[in-house]
Amino acid sequence: RDAGIPYIGAERGTLLHSLEVRDMVALLEVLHTPYNNLSLAMVLRSPLFDCSDEDLMQLAGWGKGGWYQRLLDVAEELSEHEALKIAAVTLQHWRELAGHIPIHDLVDRIFNEGNVLERYQAAFPPHLGNSAIANLTRFLELALEIDSGRYPSLGHFLSRLEGMRESSEEAPDEAPVSGGDSRVRLLTIHASKGLEAPVVFLADTALGSGNDKAYRTLIDWPPEAPRPTSFILVGKQQQQPAMLCQQLEREKQEQERESANLLYVAMTRARQLLYISGVKAQKGDECGWYGAIRDALDPSGEIDPGQICCLTGGSPPQNQQAAPITEDVEEAVTLDPALMQPFTNRSSRYEIAPSYQASEPHATSGSGDEEGRQRGIVIHRLLQVLTEHPRSNWPDVVTRVAAEFGFEANDRQLFQWFDECQQLLEQAALSDIFASRDGVESLNEVPIIYKHNGQTVHGVIDRLQVKKDEVWLVDYKTHRHANTENSSALAAGYRQQMAYYASGVRQLWPERKLRSFLLFTRPALLHEMEIEDPTKNLSDV
């Protein structure tokens, strides 16, 4: 910045910390809370109004009360061309707009009426002006992104900005500046991964690893372990017991390996020229990466560390052909017979989907064809919408589901399925399944996942009724040919599926009685299944 060299910073999440955006936030704070004297002073001194120190001293010595009221009072005695007068009139105008128009519209009006971009372009040095303009434009976009810029609540908008500023994950980045190829890019080594440039500078590479004598914690936590295997408070070196030496040495090796990996990333970003610089510490002989690179390039120590040197690469190493393996070598190579045997590995991540484990008698149900599958999916969706929005008009429900599945709004088959669902909901015998009651939590399409014998069981339960003392588990079956005579035979094919579901539900509500039901939608038949021990006889597929 001091040398006037154009550059692009690598700071992440720093948009709200840039000077020009802080001016905009201070302006909005004044419009929302005019008694904020510090924000008002910041706005007056910004390029928006360009008030002088003398102007601020005049406000400070003018009467009593907050600075905003003093600004209005002193403006009455000033000419219309003076900075404080312009600021008073403009801020009062923008305050009248705040709270009555959407946030984005307010900021857009401020940018246009206050010539914001032109003022900041003129106020910043040429090599920083484009960056300031890009950040201000990004702030205007941010006003549209938060809640779509719809709600005229300055307080809510400012609160969201404050939350984003404090959150490392949500904080917005500074805007990119056009013409980046002709600018110096400042990057952390982590941020430079995957990038290259003709010329790369590594700065401050003589920085040591820091003081290792301070108090700290030593945590040994293998990635696959659920908890650390050790947690030790490490004191000064003279206070460390002998038992720590091995662990400290292992930690040191891991840090050195990670440091070497990071240095490799840094050095391989350059295509043509790599400059390595550093400042040697006043105390100690450690020179960090600089010393490691110097020792590797000059193992004999002929180069004076205090002199600037330039080393150029020579010709690339010649490719060496691997010598062919001779018969004698082949005979000398012996393999463990166990390595020649095939082995099976049962992955602990293998998943069991109960709905796919069920043995469906397709010949009698008719659910094995494409029409039967679509019928089942649509009926499940209709029941979900109708039970979650019981007061919806039926044309709205049909139109909504038709749009989701690509049906015409007047599709005859869709109306037949809708009538089937309506009849189910009107059945008095099924009121305990579908009716809303106080103290009963009704849940649709409930995803469930848990571990069984080291394997993951996952599925979606069609409906759950969670009562004070009971939980009802209901699974819809849309067989077109189900009836009172074959329902028991059909239900037998789903015993394992329901057992998996019941096992997961019992883990959620172990103190409540569980009842499991199959609901055959075509005959409106509710079949209760007795599953005494959900985990008994579950197959290990």
Side-chain angles (χ1 to χ4, degrees):
R1 184 184 295 111
D2 294 341
I5 300 175
Y7 70 94
I8 302 175
E11 293 81 7
R12 303 299 303 273
T14 57
L15 175 69
L16 299 178
H17 294 278
S18 62
L19 181 60
E20 56 275 10
V21 173
R22 285 168 54 199
D23 287 346
M24 293 298 105
V25 175
L27 171 61
L28 296 181
E29 288 175 347
V30 170
L31 302 182
H32 179 58
T33 53
Y35 48 80
N36 190 329
N37 296 337
L38 182 59
S39 294
L40 177 59
M42 186 173 180
V43 171
L44 294 176
R45 286 290 284 121
S46 73
L48 285 169
F49 301 111
D50 198 24
C51 295
S52 64
D53 289 340
E54 290 72 16
D55 292 330
L56 296 188
M57 293 177 64
Q58 183 179 0
L59 278 182
W62 186 277
K64 297 181 180 180
W67 275 35
Y68 187 80
Q69 185 58 48
R70 296 184 191 185
L71 177 65
L72 298 181
D73 294 340
V74 74
E76 295 179 357
E77 301 183 8
L78 300 176
S79 66
E80 61 181 8
H81 300 294
E82 295 192 46
L84 289 179
K85 177 73 173 185
I86 296 174
V89 174
T90 306
L91 290 175
Q92 189 68 5
H93 168 60
W94 288 341
R95 281 205 67 207
E96 293 173 356
L97 294 176
H100 294 86
I101 62 175
I103 295 298
H104 177 266
D105 295 353
L106 174 64
V107 177
D108 187 55
R109 288 280 292 271
I110 292 173
F111 272 47
N112 284 279
E113 295 176 359
N115 296 322
V116 172
L117 298 183
E118 292 79 4
R119 288 178 177 273
Y120 276 86
Q121 182 78 59
F124 276 76
H127 62 285
L128 295 180
N130 290 337
S131 177
I133 298 306
N135 285 338
L136 288 170
T137 305
R138 179 71 187 95
F139 181 76
L140 179 61
E141 296 173 353
L142 197 64
L144 185 62
E145 293 174 5
I146 295 179
D147 294 336
S148 300
R150 295 175 295 174
Y151 306 109
S153 171
L154 258 182
H156 174 72
F157 181 71
L158 291 170
S159 177
R160 285 292 304 275
L161 291 180
E162 182 64 24
M164 295 171 70
R165 183 188 291 111
E166 296 177 354
S167 172
S168 58
E169 297 180 357
E170 294 187 14
D173 300 335
E174 292 192 34
V177 183
S178 60
D181 292 339
S182 61
R183 300 169 183 271
V184 175
R185 302 176 66 187
L186 304 180
L187 296 170
T188 64
I189 297 176
H190 286 287
S192 70
K193 289 182 179 179
L195 303 178
E196 289 184 341
V199 182
V200 171
F201 291 81
L202 299 185
D204 204 15
T205 57
L207 186 66
S209 57
N211 185 7
D212 194 33
K213 298 180 181 180
Y215 293 96
R216 60 192 177 93
T217 58
L218 180 62
I219 303 175
D220 186 8
W221 195 337
E224 69 280 0
R227 61 183 59 86
T229 57
S230 65
F231 182 93
I232 304 172
L233 296 177
V234 181
K236 296 182 178 180
Q237 187 172 6
Q238 59 270 25
Q239 299 174 343
Q240 296 172 1
M243 61 175 292
L244 282 181
C245 294
Q246 186 176 359
Q247 289 179 273
L248 290 172
E249 181 62 27
R250 183 167 62 250
E251 183 192 39
K252 180 180 178 182
Q253 292 175 0
E254 292 177 354
Q255 292 176 348
E256 291 176 349
R257 181 165 55 251
E258 179 62 24
S259 177
N261 292 337
L262 200 60
L263 176 58
Y264 172 81
V265 172
M267 296 184 65
T268 53
R269 300 310 93 199
R271 294 197 194 101
Q272 295 174 301
L273 298 177
L274 175 64
Y275 291 86
I276 303 167
S277 67
V279 178
K280 185 177 180 180
Q282 295 181 355
K283 297 181 180 180
D285 298 327
E286 186 178 4
C287 290
W289 284 351
Y290 186 92
I293 297 171
R294 179 196 60 200
D295 295 342
L297 296 177
D298 181 34
S300 61
E302 297 178 357
I303 301 177
D304 184 357
Q307 298 296 321
I308 297 177
C309 64
C310 178
L311 300 179
T312 59
S315 58
Q318 299 295 326
N319 293 329
Q320 298 181 357
Q321 298 291 336
I325 299 178
T326 62
E327 294 183 359
D328 295 339
V329 175
E330 289 181 351
E331 294 178 356
V333 176
T334 58
L335 295 177
D336 189 333
L339 297 177
M340 307 300 294
Q341 300 298 322
F343 66 96
T344 58
N345 178 28
R346 182 176 177 179
S347 173
S348 61
R349 296 182 60 86
Y350 185 86
E351 297 181 345
I352 300 173
S355 59
Y356 295 127
Q357 298 298 323
S359 55
E360 300 187 52
H362 299 303
T364 60
S365 68
S367 62
D369 57 273
E370 184 61 31
E371 180 184 345
R373 283 191 291 270
Q374 188 179 51
R375 162 187 158 81
I377 294 172
V378 174
I379 288 179
H380 276 70
R381 179 58 176 155
L382 283 169
L383 288 174
Q384 179 185 0
V385 175
L386 289 170
T387 52
E388 290 179 352
H389 307 281
R391 299 182 181 180
S392 300
N393 296 324
W394 68 264
D396 296 337
V397 175
V398 174
T399 302
R400 173 178 177 178
V401 176
E404 291 179 2
F405 292 95
F407 286 98
E408 294 292 335
N410 58 351
D411 186 276
R412 185 177 63 86
Q413 192 174 56
L414 179 60
F415 273 95
Q416 290 177 351
W417 295 339
F418 176 81
D419 291 339
E420 183 176 328
C421 294
Q422 282 284 65
Q423 293 174 16
L424 281 176
L425 299 178
E426 293 171 359
Q427 291 281 338
L430 301 178
S431 60
D432 287 340
I433 299 294
F434 294 116
S436 299
R437 289 184 171 84
D438 293 337
V440 178
E441 184 180 10
S442 301
L443 305 172
N444 290 311
E445 301 297 319
V446 182
I448 188 169
I449 182 170
Y450 65 94
K451 286 288 187 180
H452 170 67
N453 286 352
Q455 295 175 277
T456 300
V457 180
H458 72 91
V460 178
I461 298 173
D462 295 334
R463 189 165 176 84
L464 277 178
Q465 291 282 82
V466 183
K467 307 180 181 183
K468 181 178 180 180
D469 301 317
E470 292 183 334
V471 178
W472 287 18
L473 189 164
V474 184
D475 197 71
Y476 306 143
K477 299 302 176 188
T478 58
H479 299 73
R480 289 172 292 182
H481 305 294
N483 53 54
T484 55
E485 296 180 358
N486 63 8
S487 60
S488 297
L490 292 174
Y494 298 101
R495 178 165 295 277
Q496 188 179 61
Q497 173 192 356
M498 297 299 287
Y500 278 120
Y501 285 162
S503 178
V505 172
R506 281 189 182 273
Q507 295 182 45
L508 295 173
W509 295 281
E511 75 285 355
R512 305 185 191 186
K513 180 182 178 181
L514 176 64
R515 299 180 66 183
S516 302
F517 299 90
L518 290 180
L519 175 58
F520 295 98
T521 60
R522 173 59 66 88
L525 177 64
L526 190 65
H527 180 88
E528 184 168 5
M529 304 186 69
E530 296 292 337
I531 303 177
E532 297 296 337
D533 184 359
T535 61
K536 187 177 181 180
N537 298 326
L538 290 182
S539 68
D540 297 327
V541 180

